[in-house]
């Protein structure tokens, strides 16, 4: 990914300026009281979060893409040996081979890419991110609606909206409020590895269309009577829209529909489109 260097607008920079909010964020990022062995901070900026995260870590790698900010950051933390300021694009970093956490005030324009990086990192334990409030609400079901990405990753990752942050806590002040979203990798996945392909098949098909009707979409691959039985088991109305189905209900659907041999399902499958 090319490194933008011209303006703070190009980098989507909104620096956290409220110390109380920074301290609150740090408590949310490290909630258990014990120091995090390794924390990667994305978008260190001027160091507002770095300052409050550092005492909660044994090792902190603070990534900052803007070369204009790196010298001041390094000077500020020169006396803190366990803090390493990395003047580079976080998205170009190789995930550590040991367990690690991620935290940071994510540039709004790069949120999706940062989240994707976190989800792909095999040793990630959790990620606590300041994002646009709307993004945080959308991904955590706060609107009563759920996205394909959240449902697809739910067996391995739990998504939660932890807090809302007033836009006036940032400089320059953005147009919208922010939210703190936390993604935690489950210690024990809700589905085993053998079920992962069936789960993706179910979710991709469910979000593939047919007027937004989950019931109609699933009937493209399973007999209607089996889909009806799965909806009764999940306590879902057949008319429910796909985005209104919580991940826990998807798991119940999967439990019932997985009993039908996979080959029987795929014979009737119409290739789904990738959902949001």
């Amino acid at each position: 990914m090319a490194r933008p260097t011209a303006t703070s607008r190009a980098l989507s920079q909104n620096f956290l300026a409220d110390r109380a909010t920074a301290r609150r964020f740090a408590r949310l990022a490290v909630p258990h009281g014990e120091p995090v062995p390794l924390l990667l901070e994305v978008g260190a900026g001027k160091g507002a979060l770095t300052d409050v995260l550092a005492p909660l870590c044994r090792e902190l790698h603070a990534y900052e893409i803007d070369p204009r900010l790196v010298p001041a950051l390094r000077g500020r933390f020169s006396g803190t040996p366990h803090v390493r300021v990395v003047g580079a694009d976080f998205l170009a970093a190789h995930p550590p081979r040991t367990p690690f956490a991620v935290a940071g005030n994510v540039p709004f324009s790069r949120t999706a890419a940062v989240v994707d990086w976190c989800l792909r990192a095999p040793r990630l334990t959790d990620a606590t991110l300041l994002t646009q409030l709307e993004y945080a609400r959308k991904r955590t079901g706060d609107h009563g609606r759920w996205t394909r990405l959240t449902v697809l990753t739910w067996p391995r990752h739990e998504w939660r909206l932890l807090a809302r942050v007033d836009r006036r806590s940032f400089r320059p002040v953005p147009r919208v409020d922010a939210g703190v979203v936390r993604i935690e990798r489950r210690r024990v996945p809700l589905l085993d590895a053998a079920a992962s392909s069936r789960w993706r098949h179910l979710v991709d098909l469910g979000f593939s269309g047919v007027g937004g009707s989950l019931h109609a979409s699933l009937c493209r691959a399973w007999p209607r009577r089996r889909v009806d039985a799965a909806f009764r088991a999940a306590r879902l109305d057949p008319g429910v829209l796909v985005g209104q189905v919580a991940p826990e209900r998807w798991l119940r659907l999967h439990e019932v529909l997985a009993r039908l041999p996979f080959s029987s399902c795929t014979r009737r499958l119409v290739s789904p489109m990738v959902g949001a």
Side-chain angles (χ1 to χ4, degrees):
M1 179 178 294
R3 177 184 298 177
T5 58
T7 67
S8 62
R9 179 174 297 179
L11 289 166
S12 188
Q13 291 170 318
N14 298 98
F15 302 113
L16 187 61
D18 183 72
R19 290 192 59 82
T21 299
R23 289 192 294 269
R24 182 187 182 196
F25 177 88
R27 291 193 297 270
L28 294 172
V30 188
H32 304 302
E34 296 183 1
V36 175
L38 174 59
L39 178 67
L40 274 55
E41 182 187 2
V42 51
K46 297 181 178 181
L49 287 180
T50 316
D51 193 43
V52 292
L53 289 170
L56 305 177
C57 310
R58 294 193 182 98
E59 186 177 356
L60 172 60
H61 298 176
Y63 281 82
E64 176 49 52
I65 192 174
D66 191 339
R68 298 169 301 179
L69 301 176
V70 172
L73 270 174
R74 287 179 173 158
R76 181 173 180 177
F77 295 100
S78 60
T80 313
H82 73 288
V83 174
R84 180 163 70 94
V85 175
V86 184
D89 185 351
F90 172 83
L91 294 176
H94 294 291
R97 296 181 180 181
T98 58
F100 71 98
V102 169
N105 176 21
V106 181
F108 289 169
S109 66
R110 310 185 100 202
T111 300
V114 170
V115 168
D116 183 65
W117 187 99
C118 292
L119 292 173
R120 292 176 182 273
R123 303 309 299 273
L124 177 88
T125 58
D126 54 81
T128 307
L129 307 171
L130 261 172
T131 72
Q132 281 187 328
L133 178 59
E134 186 60 26
Y135 179 91
R137 296 190 68 191
K138 176 182 176 181
R139 292 301 186 204
T140 59
D142 191 60
H143 284 300
R145 298 182 65 85
W146 300 85
T147 67
R148 173 187 172 275
L149 178 64
T150 307
V151 174
L152 188 63
T153 58
W154 192 260
R156 290 188 174 274
H157 298 87
E158 181 182 8
W159 297 68
R160 288 185 290 154
L161 173 62
L162 299 185
R164 303 183 184 197
V165 179
D166 190 283
R167 66 191 186 93
R168 291 169 293 182
S169 299
F170 301 87
R171 296 292 182 275
V173 179
R175 296 180 180 179
V176 296
D177 291 339
V180 180
V181 61
R182 184 170 173 86
I183 307 168
E184 288 190 26
R185 181 182 295 274
R186 303 182 190 277
R187 292 186 178 183
V188 180
L190 301 179
L191 297 174
D192 60 29
S196 60
S197 62
R198 290 178 179 272
W199 176 256
R200 177 173 288 276
H201 167 80
L202 172 68
V203 176
D204 281 346
L205 180 63
F207 277 93
S208 66
V210 193
S213 167
L214 177 59
H215 189 278
S217 293
L218 298 186
C219 282
R220 298 157 72 193
W222 284 277
R224 183 184 182 91
R225 65 182 181 279
R226 178 56 62 90
V227 176
D228 288 342
F231 268 65
R232 288 194 297 271
R235 298 182 180 180
L236 289 172
D237 187 287
V240 68
L241 296 178
V242 62
Q244 297 171 336
V245 180
E248 293 83 359
R249 303 293 180 93
W250 280 92
L251 287 165
R252 188 70 179 112
L253 291 174
H254 178 268
E255 181 181 349
V256 176
L257 293 175
R259 298 170 189 166
L260 189 65
F262 189 76
S263 58
S264 298
C265 304
T266 54
R267 282 200 297 268
R268 302 178 58 200
L269 175 62
V270 178
S271 298
M273 299 178 292
V274 175

